[in-house]
Amino acid sequence: MKRSRLSGALGALTLTLAAGAVAGAAAPASATSAEARGAPTGAAAATVEGAAGDINDSGVVTGYVYAESGNTRPVRWNADGSIQDLGTLPGDVNGNAWGINNAGQIIGNSWTGDENRQDVRWNADGSITALRPLPGEENGSVHGINDSGITVGFTFGDGMHAVKWSVSGVPTRLHGLPGEKNSYAKGINNDGTAVGWSGLADGTTSAARWDADGTFTALPPLDGHEGSSAYAINGKGVAVGFSYDKETSSAHAVRWASDGTVTALPAKPDMKHSKGVDINDDGTIVGNSQSSTNVIGAVRWNADGTITDLGKLPGDANSDAKGVNAGGAAAGDSSNPNSPPHPVMWRADGTLVALRGL
């Protein structure tokens, strides 16, 4: 699982949603509750257009669906399979929800028809808060939130700049490589350690780890590779992402131990690219693998080192897993080229569930 009320000085905007408000934070799942630790029980009668972005330990999933108007609506799917529209900021018509923590806080974006995006947090009490960018910069995107409500992502200035928002909503820039041009913080654990990437003007990128105090560490690629990027970090300090080989123009999913040691994750036959996107504390990793014929499939790397193909909906060609919870359930999408994806989840036993629409 990828793991902010803003101060008055930041001009925080907090509004109670009149309809479709976020329900109170879901109760933590018990170790014996297979349903809560797995996936919502309801399945859609027909596939809907949208995507799921994350899942918490209570089995609550976040993402977006397309409304009849064609706008995207930020939603949460509860553990019983029901769906709720999270709402958007006043005047906005589109939104998406990316991350969720175990307190029920959700992060994503809200925007108007002209793509004027704002980073937002939906609070467990049913209110929505606008997260302000760094001074003098523009909104970018938020991607990870921990159980304390600390959020990471990036804002736009003279490039993309990795940012961490405190619980009170104060944005702080996370600095990376000397001479850095662009950076992006993708995930954060409950210790406040964040991961992502830092890049130079020539396009060279390195996976990045920022300690809670902001100290930067470059995470190495595999031997012979030129670049890397990290997407998530668990409570044990283990990070996942990919390592890039310019010579073969291929990416390979990797895991970094807490000491920074990099290890290649097992590959499927005929793999061209792979990417580790999320990891739980047991070491279960989810992400995707792309074949030489460009078929993309959601995969799970199990704690024992084996790789499992998670599959896709009937009639679809591709799938991608975006988040995994403590029980091993995953969330993501199933899709076909040149058409919107469908939000899905995979129970811990691998059962594929199509999530319902509004």
Side-chain angles (χ1 to χ4, degrees), residues 11 19 31 36 63 76 83 94 98 131 134 156 167-168 219 238 245 283 293:
R76 59 176 271 169
I83 184 174
N94 295 286
W98 296 124
L131 297 175
L134 291 169
F156 282 114
V167 175
S168 62
L219 298 175
V238 180
D245 181 10
T293 56

Side-chain angles (χ1 to χ4, degrees), residues 221-223 225 241 243 252-256 261-267 271 274 285 301 305:
L222 295 169
D223 288 345
H225 287 194
S243 176
H252 196 112
V254 298
R255 175 181 59 233
W256 290 274
T261 303
V262 62
T263 303
L265 295 175
M271 186 206 79
S274 62
I285 300 165
W301 289 274

Side-chain angles (χ1 to χ4, degrees), residues 164 174 191-194 209-217:
K164 177 170 67 176
L174 297 172
D191 293 333
T193 303
R209 184 181 68 214
W210 295 276
D211 295 337
D213 64 1
T215 301
F216 166 77
T217 300

Side-chain angles (χ1 to χ4, degrees), residues 205-332:
T205 62
S206 172
R209 184 181 68 214
W210 295 276
D211 295 337
D213 64 1
T215 301
F216 166 77
T217 300
L219 298 175
L222 295 169
D223 288 345
H225 287 194
E226 295 77 23
S228 56
S229 181
Y231 275 71
I233 184 169
N234 69 10
K236 297 179 180 179
V238 180
V240 295
F242 67 86
S243 176
Y244 184 72
D245 181 10
K246 285 185 178 179
E247 183 176 346
T248 61
S249 298
S250 63
H252 196 112
V254 298
R255 175 181 59 233
W256 290 274
S258 58
D259 65 0
T261 303
V262 62
T263 303
L265 295 175
K268 291 177 59 179
D270 195 32
M271 186 206 79
K272 178 181 179 182
H273 301 291
S274 62
K275 179 171 62 178
V277 177
D278 201 12
I279 181 172
N280 67 15
D281 285 353
D282 291 336
T284 300
I285 300 165
V286 297
N288 63 67
S289 178
Q290 182 177 345
S291 73
S292 61
T293 56
N294 297 319
V295 174
I296 301 171
V299 294
R300 181 181 67 224
W301 289 274
N302 306 298
D304 63 5
T306 57
I307 184 172
T308 299
D309 189 338
L310 293 176
K312 53 191 175 291
L313 293 174
D316 280 353
N318 303 306
S319 61
D320 193 2
K322 307 290 183 58
V324 63
N325 71 5

Side-chain angles (χ1 to χ4, degrees), residues 6 8 35 86-87 89 100 156 159 163 165 175 225 243 248-250 267 272 275 293 316 342 351 356:
L6 294 179
E35 178 178 302
L86 297 174
L89 293 171
I100 183 172
F156 282 114
V163 174
W165 286 268
H175 294 274
H225 287 194
S243 176
T248 61
S249 298
S250 63
K272 178 181 179 182
K275 179 171 62 178
T293 56
D316 280 353
H342 309 120
T351 303
R356 68 181 70 239

Side-chain angles (χ1 to χ4, degrees), residues 24-349:
S30 67
T32 58
S33 175
E35 178 178 302
R37 297 295 289 273
T41 57
T47 55
V48 299
E49 294 180 344
D54 201 6
I55 181 171
N56 72 6
D57 292 349
S58 295
V60 180
V61 177
T62 58
Y64 69 90
V65 296
Y66 284 91
E68 290 185 4
S69 62
N71 297 323
T72 60
R73 301 303 303 171
V75 298
R76 59 176 271 169
W77 290 273
N78 301 305
D80 63 1
S82 61
I83 184 174
Q84 290 176 284
D85 190 325
L86 297 174
T88 55
L89 293 171
D92 287 352
V93 295
N94 295 286
N96 50 38
W98 296 124
I100 183 172
N101 65 15
N102 286 324
Q105 294 172 305
I106 297 168
I107 54 170
N109 298 101
S110 173
W111 70 94
T112 59
D114 60 4
E115 299 294 311
N116 181 25
R117 290 176 184 260
Q118 296 192 70
D119 301 328
V120 296
R121 183 188 69 237
W122 290 273
N123 305 298
D125 65 1
S127 59
I128 182 172
T129 299
L131 297 175
R132 302 306 184 190
L134 291 169
E137 296 198 353
E138 300 176 0
N139 288 289
S141 187
V142 286
H143 198 84
I145 183 171
N146 69 12
D147 288 344
S148 298
I150 301 173
T151 303
V152 294
F154 76 92
T155 62
F156 282 114
D158 56 353
M160 296 168 59
H161 296 145
V163 174
K164 177 170 67 176
W165 286 268
S166 68
V167 175
S168 62
V170 177
T172 300
R173 181 172 173 180
L174 297 172
H175 294 274
L177 296 169
E180 172 188 88
K181 174 63 176 178
N182 297 293
S183 59
Y184 193 162
K186 289 279 194 173
I188 184 169
N189 68 12
N190 286 335
D191 293 333
T193 303
V195 294
W197 58 266
S198 175
L200 304 178
D202 65 2
T204 301
T205 62
S206 172
R209 184 181 68 214
W210 295 276
D211 295 337
D213 64 1
T215 301
F216 166 77
T217 300
L219 298 175
L222 295 169
D223 288 345
H225 287 194
E226 295 77 23
S228 56
S229 181
Y231 275 71
I233 184 169
N234 69 10
K236 297 179 180 179
V238 180
V240 295
F242 67 86
S243 176
Y244 184 72
D245 181 10
K246 285 185 178 179
E247 183 176 346
T248 61
S249 298
S250 63
H252 196 112
V254 298
R255 175 181 59 233
W256 290 274
S258 58
D259 65 0
T261 303
V262 62
T263 303
L265 295 175
K268 291 177 59 179
D270 195 32
M271 186 206 79
K272 178 181 179 182
H273 301 291
S274 62
K275 179 171 62 178
V277 177
D278 201 12
I279 181 172
N280 67 15
D281 285 353
D282 291 336
T284 300
I285 300 165
V286 297
N288 63 67
S289 178
Q290 182 177 345
S291 73
S292 61
T293 56
N294 297 319
V295 174
I296 301 171
V299 294
R300 181 181 67 224
W301 289 274
N302 306 298
D304 63 5
T306 57
I307 184 172
T308 299
D309 189 338
L310 293 176
K312 53 191 175 291
L313 293 174
D316 280 353
N318 303 306
S319 61
D320 193 2
K322 307 290 183 58
V324 63
N325 71 5
D333 57 67
S334 177
S335 64
N336 284 303
N338 305 315
S339 63
H342 309 120
V344 299
M345 357 175 15
W346 295 268
R347 301 185 192 277
D349 65 3

